[in-house]
Amino acid sequence: LARVYSDGSKGWFGFDSLNVGRLIMERARWVRRVCRSGDRVAILGFAGEGDEGSTRVFEIEEAVYRTLGISCDFVPVEEAAVEGGVLVGPKGPYNVVVRYFLIGSKFERRMPGFAESLKAAENVTVLGGASYEVFTSKFLLADLRCSQALSASERAWFKLIPRTARLRDEWVFWDGIPIEPLVWAERNQSVAVLKPARGAGSRGVILGATMSVQEWRDALEQAALDGGYVVQERVVGDEWPTAYWSESMGGVVVTAEAPLFGPFSVNGWSAGCYVRQGFNPGIGSLLGGDRIESASCLASVP
């Protein structure tokens, strides 16, 4: 079901193929309802953003769309442009686009203004746009965590989430205590974390504990000017001593860094969890482009 990979070598996870298939089929039906006769569809994503597993998803989605009679291609964002009111890729123009990337990702920053140009293109219908990002936005998380309109039982649930607020010069409430997020972040550098509100996969996360005082002040100033960040109270994870076999290092590597867990399912059934764990010592071992990590699955067998 899954294969261990480490420190940058490629690998793959088993995934819930049944539910993924249903998701793609429903999306394909949505696209077909939107398309008019003669429309060409671009599945638009960053080819370099994931491993071979994510690029396979693009290929699978292409195949599903074509079974429904939809003319489509996967178009790498790196090879796309907006010209004459349509999206143009290596295989020609497209007037329906399924956007497969988060606004604000580090890859989109290499093409400033591209997403805005695509949205403004006169002859392009963009699907998978900003509406779905409400479910991935940390602004929503921050607003719920700071809300005074929730009932006591609802607030008790949200206490399970680290204290989070929009990085703004305003007063908010954390567990009934008023704070100013910018002031709190500056005064509590050792336990403060900055995160892009629309980021994913630990991209753009800044840990105050890893920076000098001046670097942290500069990061706060830049994030506040950007307007797209939240500040969060850091939660210290438990150490988890683990040994991995590293193909590239040619031996066993031992680490005790705090791991990142996520649900792992097979055909709709819970099968345990996947694990990401960094080899870099110290705070933030799973952050940064130079990180060395292992990813694997802990399978539960009934």
Side-chain angles (χ1 to χ4, degrees), residues 24 48 55 76 104 109 129 202 243 254 261 275:
I24 293 175
T55 55
R109 293 180 191 278
S202 302
V254 179
F261 294 101
V275 185

Side-chain angles (χ1 to χ4, degrees), residues 9-289:
S9 59
K10 294 298 181 181
W12 51 271
F13 285 124
F15 61 90
D16 185 344
S17 57
L18 179 61
N19 285 336
V20 170
R22 287 173 177 166
L23 171 65
I24 293 175
M25 180 57 75
E26 287 305 313
R27 189 155 51 221
R29 288 171 177 157
W30 176 35
V31 172
R32 186 174 63 176
R33 288 195 298 270
V34 170
C35 285
R36 300 161 298 183
S37 177
D39 280 349
R40 296 186 69 216
V41 177
I43 301 172
L44 187 66
F46 285 97
E49 189 159 3
D51 59 18
E52 63 179 80
S54 67
T55 55
R56 267 205 309 276
V57 168
F58 297 137
E59 296 164 4
I60 293 169
E61 188 141 345
E62 272 186 82
V64 172
Y65 284 27
R66 287 171 181 162
T67 63
L68 297 182
I70 301 170
S71 174
C72 75
D73 298 294
F74 167 57
V75 178
V77 180
E78 300 93 331
E79 301 176 23
V82 178
E83 299 176 1
V86 298
L87 179 79
V88 178
K91 297 182 180 180
Y94 302 87
N95 46 0
V96 176
V97 172
V98 179
R99 179 163 67 76
Y100 236 103
F101 60 91
L102 291 172
I103 296 295
S105 73
K106 67 176 181 179
F107 293 95
E108 184 211 355
R109 293 180 191 278
R110 297 178 185 174
M111 304 174 65
F114 175 79
E116 289 77 8
S117 297
L118 181 63
K119 183 179 179 181
E122 298 177 0
N123 300 313
V124 174
T125 300
V126 180
L127 306 178
S131 58
Y132 82 87
E133 291 190 353
V134 68
F135 301 107
T136 59
S137 172
K138 294 178 184 65
F139 281 152
L140 174 62
L141 184 68
D143 292 345
L144 288 171
R145 193 63 176 81
C146 298
S147 176
Q148 295 298 292
L150 301 177
S151 67
S153 61
E154 289 170 334
R155 286 197 298 272
W157 276 107
F158 282 103
K159 281 187 178 181
L160 299 173
I161 298 169
R163 297 199 292 184
T164 308
R166 295 182 184 236
L167 191 70
R168 289 180 174 175
D169 186 14
E170 62 181 7
W171 287 93
V172 298
F173 287 87
W174 274 355
D175 302 330
I177 302 172
I179 67 155
E180 292 178 279
L182 268 170
V183 174
W184 181 91
E186 184 174 4
R187 292 177 178 175
N188 296 273
Q189 177 179 344
S190 63
V191 293
V193 181
L194 294 181
K195 295 184 178 181
R198 293 193 176 99
S202 302
R203 301 184 185 105
V205 174
I206 302 171
L207 297 173
T210 65
M211 311 180 81
S212 69
V213 172
Q214 189 57 53
E215 287 173 336
W216 179 242
R217 287 175 177 168
D218 292 344
L220 285 175
E221 182 179 356
Q222 186 58 46
L225 289 173
D226 182 282
Y229 282 77
V230 299
V231 61
Q232 195 169 72
E233 186 176 41
R234 180 168 65 89
V235 175
V236 179
D238 296 331
E239 289 188 354
W240 201 51
T242 315
Y244 297 94
W245 173 264
S246 169
E247 294 180 4
S248 63
M249 296 181 183
V252 175
V253 178
V254 179
T255 182
E257 298 300 315
L260 175 67
F261 294 101
F264 174 61
S265 62
V266 178
N267 290 337
W269 295 89
S270 175
C273 61
Y274 72 81
V275 185
R276 286 177 55 209
Q277 192 170 22
F279 293 146
N280 307 61
I283 298 171
S285 64
L286 286 174
L287 304 179

